[in-house]
Amino acid sequence: MSVNSHVLELRKKHDTLSNRVEEAQRSPAADRLKVAEMKKQKLRLKEEIGRLTTA
């Protein structure tokens, strides 16, 4: 897998998580711990994308 295709895949995962976080936050019964974990995953993906695109 090339770096570009890997970055694209990471961006798709980040976008999917972003949508899931937004959806969960709109729900009155949102599990705060689950939302926090999804946000951490988003941050890790963003950091990995940044690391791969600046290398």
Side-chain angles (χ1 to χ4, degrees), residues 9-10 16 28 33 45 51-52:
E9 194 62 32
L10 291 174
T16 300
L33 292 176
L45 288 169
R51 188 181 66 77
L52 291 171

Side-chain angles (χ1 to χ4, degrees), residues 3 6 8 10 13-15 32 37-38 44 47 53:
V3 173
H6 185 59
L8 286 175
L10 291 174
K13 288 180 182 180
H14 184 271
D15 289 344
R32 302 282 182 220
E37 182 57 37
M38 287 191 292
R44 285 191 293 267
E47 288 171 346
T53 56

